[in-house]
Amino acid sequence: MASSSSRVPYRRTTSYMLYGRKASCIIISSEHAAHGADDRCASTPVGIDERADPERPAVPSRRHRHMLSLAGRERHARLKLKKYRNTSLARNGRLEHFGYCSSSAHTNFDGEDEPVPTAPPLDILDSVPGYESLGFDAVCVPPPPPEATWSEPSGPPPRDPVHVGGELSEQQARAALLCHVTDHCCYGRGAARHMNIAKINYSSAHHYELQTFTEKRETSWTFVPYSGGEVDSPSCGEAPEPWSVPAEPAQLFHDEVKVMEVPHTASAKDCHRCKGQGSLSCAECHGKGWTRCLSCHGNGWSADSSGYRERCYYCQASAYGDGKQDCLKCNAKGRVACPPCDSYGQVRCYIRLTISWKVTTSEHIVEHSSLPEELIREVSGQVAVEEEAAAVAPLTHYPDAAINLASAQLILEHQQKLCEQRVLAQRHQVRVVPVAEVNYTHKSHSGRFWVYGYENKVHAPDYPDRHCWGCCSLL
């Protein structure tokens, strides 16, 4: 049995990550008090032989020496990049030391510090009469003054008489309420069947709606890839003004957008991005055609835990040598296709005309009961007034003065709001929606509900027979 003064040497294996690769280390600790040796605790690196003599100094294996060498190279490259951070070399991220390469987030597609142009400079574009101050941002062009405007009519226009629906009977009101209760799972039918209808008040809601159909024209410079062919340049003729280009909408009072090219404004120019070359330096490999292999860290060799070395599987077939992978973005060519010119090297610049037809709608509702106004829009009624013209006149002879005032205000508002657009057509109408306010009593509860529209829709916010069990939150 061993004495208490002597201790048996032990070995412990631990694992750690070194630059993304798993490594192991065997720690050997021995104390030989019986032999008179000093206490010793040695930590040996990867690959130390477990059968080695504890008295012999720890000697790193070949694999560990390779890992230490690789770690030193990586550390040296990072220190170099930090030292020259303020230099142009570090800003471009092109520090290459022992195969180490870093990319900068502040570089452009070509790896240069200068900003990437998004469009050709205006000074190289041809001067087109009437479009001298035009840029690549769309500019709205005001229309020419209209040839004729509406005039105040001498008398009221002929209109059909207004017939609001007949009065609502008690049976019709109760039937509409029962139909409304059926659509709500938490409403009971008992109150609708046995309530006492005390009084029904009849009224009408007036819904005025104004629609203006306008045309808007915007111009701007633009460019597309030029692969050859004829160019309609300013030498072919005088460019027409924006409102002189013929264009018609497919249908009135329907939104539509059409993009056209202004005749005699095109020209072919060298691409502003690639300077006519048709290709750009690859941002992934900085034009070299290869990137550093991440599997072997640029060494070209890979080894397993036993120390067996072999050629790296990922970079052994590279045309640029060991430790380098062919760039997948540029297909190992170092250059990629230029997006603006589509590899043609030239772009065709011209003035683009954008024509927008749009319907602008404004409305006003006059409702004398407590029914919410938004419910009037959802139902039908009788159309009392309906007019359409190039420019409609405000209503002046409608029985409700509030509708006449709203008509004049909305028409004036459209004239001021749409001053930079051409008004092609206008129309307005007034709908009369029947509304019945029903007062009832049920047991000790008294309330009211509304029946409105030709569909006999019901609005009953304080219906007495409601029992919600939480099912409404699931619908």
Side-chain angles (χ1 to χ4, degrees):
M1 186 173 185
S3 62
S4 59
S5 60
S6 62
R7 304 181 64 178
V8 178
Y10 70 93
R11 294 177 175 86
R12 178 167 57 89
T13 304
T14 182
S15 300
Y16 59 94
M17 298 299 294
L18 179 62
Y19 296 99
R21 304 187 66 175
K22 186 176 180 181
S24 61
C25 179
I26 303 174
I27 300 175
I28 303 176
S29 177
S30 62
E31 297 179 0
H32 305 280
H35 296 283
D38 297 334
D39 295 343
R40 183 182 295 106
C41 180
S43 178
T44 62
V46 180
I48 195 70
D49 191 359
E50 296 185 1
R51 298 187 301 272
D53 187 3
E55 299 296 333
R56 188 179 62 182
V59 179
S61 66
R62 183 178 182 182
R63 171 178 169 79
H64 184 63
R65 289 197 303 269
H66 166 66
M67 300 276 300
L68 290 178
S69 176
L70 179 62
R73 286 152 54 185
E74 294 280 356
R75 190 181 303 108
H76 180 67
R78 287 197 301 272
L79 292 177
K80 291 285 288 183
L81 181 62
K82 182 178 180 180
K83 182 178 179 180
Y84 298 101
R85 181 179 299 172
N86 297 327
T87 63
S88 61
L89 183 62
R91 285 199 304 269
N92 290 335
R94 292 183 177 179
L95 178 60
E96 301 175 9
H97 186 76
F98 295 104
Y100 179 79
C101 182
S102 175
S103 60
S104 174
H106 301 282
T107 57
N108 60 15
F109 191 83
D110 295 328
E112 301 174 354
D113 290 334
E114 61 181 15
V116 178
T118 58
L122 295 176
D123 54 357
I124 69 170
L125 300 179
D126 295 345
S127 177
V128 181
Y131 301 90
E132 290 83 3
S133 59
L134 189 62
F136 285 91
D137 296 329
V139 178
C140 182
V141 182
E147 299 178 357
T149 58
W150 62 267
S151 58
E152 185 72 22
S154 58
R159 300 191 177 104
D160 298 332
V162 178
H163 298 286
V164 183
E167 295 184 355
L168 191 71
S169 64
E170 180 178 338
Q171 291 77 10
Q172 292 176 339
R174 193 182 303 274
L177 182 60
L178 285 171
C179 183
H180 175 73
V181 169
T182 305
D183 296 337
H184 293 74
C185 59
C186 298
Y187 285 17
R189 299 185 181 182
R193 291 175 179 174
H194 303 97
M195 67 171 49
N196 181 26
I197 296 180
K199 186 180 180 182
I200 301 178
N201 298 322
Y202 303 98
S203 62
S204 298
H206 304 271
H207 181 200
Y208 175 78
E209 184 180 54
L210 172 66
Q211 289 186 338
T212 303
F213 186 61
T214 58
E215 178 181 350
K216 180 181 179 180
R217 299 200 174 192
E218 297 174 318
T219 56
S220 64
W221 278 104
T222 188
F223 60 91
V224 294
Y226 176 64
S227 58
E230 297 182 359
V231 178
D232 189 8
S233 62
S235 60
C236 299
E238 184 179 357
E241 297 182 356
W243 287 98
S244 300
V245 179
E248 296 294 335
Q251 188 177 0
L252 290 178
F253 295 100
H254 280 78
D255 294 349
E256 184 181 353
V257 177
K258 183 181 296 186
V259 180
M260 305 173 58
E261 177 182 345
V262 178
H264 313 314
T265 60
S267 59
K269 304 294 181 182
D270 287 342
C271 179
H272 54 280
R273 186 73 177 274
C274 64
K275 305 299 186 294
Q277 298 181 9
S279 61
L280 301 172
S281 177
C282 179
E284 186 71 19
C285 64
H286 301 282
K288 302 187 301 293
W290 59 271
T291 57
R292 185 168 173 266
C293 180
L294 299 179
S295 179
C296 64
H297 300 278
N299 184 41
W301 294 86
S302 61
D304 54 13
S305 58
S306 62
Y308 176 73
R309 297 182 61 192
E310 61 180 356
R311 288 289 183 180
C312 179
Y313 172 78
Y314 297 97
C315 62
Q316 63 180 352
S318 175
Y320 292 95
D322 297 338
K324 302 175 182 179
Q325 285 183 325
D326 294 346
C327 181
L328 299 179
K329 187 172 183 179
C330 63
N331 198 17
K333 297 179 180 179
R335 302 190 68 84
V336 295
C338 179
C341 66
D342 199 13
S343 300
Y344 290 112
Q346 286 188 322
V347 293
R348 186 172 66 90
C349 305
Y350 63 93
I351 296 179
R352 176 177 56 192
L353 175 62
T354 305
I355 307 176
S356 304
W357 292 280
K358 185 178 179 181
V359 180
T360 304
T361 304
S362 301
E363 59 183 1
H364 182 76
I365 296 176
V366 177
E367 210 281 315
H368 300 287
S369 66
S370 301
L371 183 67
E373 292 184 356
E374 58 270 11
L375 299 178
I376 301 299
R377 302 185 182 95
E378 303 175 358
V379 295
S380 60
Q382 181 183 357
V383 178
V385 177
E386 186 175 18
E387 297 175 352
E388 180 178 338
V392 296
L395 297 178
T396 55
H397 300 84
Y398 194 76
D400 196 318
I403 295 295
N404 295 330
L405 179 61
S407 175
Q409 291 178 349
L410 293 180
I411 291 178
L412 180 61
E413 179 183 342
H414 279 210
Q415 291 177 355
Q416 297 175 353
K417 180 180 178 181
L418 307 174
C419 59
E420 293 187 352
Q421 305 178 28
R422 172 182 286 178
V423 178
L424 301 181
Q426 274 187 326
R427 64 183 180 186
H428 60 178
Q429 70 171 5
V430 180
R431 293 189 308 114
V432 182
V433 179
V435 178
E437 180 181 345
V438 182
N439 298 274
Y440 66 90
T441 58
H442 178 67
K443 297 180 181 180
S444 60
H445 175 78
S446 60
R448 58 180 180 173
F449 64 90
W450 288 266
V451 182
Y452 58 97
Y454 284 171
E455 298 87 354
N456 286 342
K457 294 287 185 179
V458 174
H459 177 63
D462 56 350
Y463 185 71
D465 195 0
R466 287 188 294 181
H467 309 281
C468 184
W469 301 100
C471 56
C472 293
S473 61
L474 301 177
L475 299 179

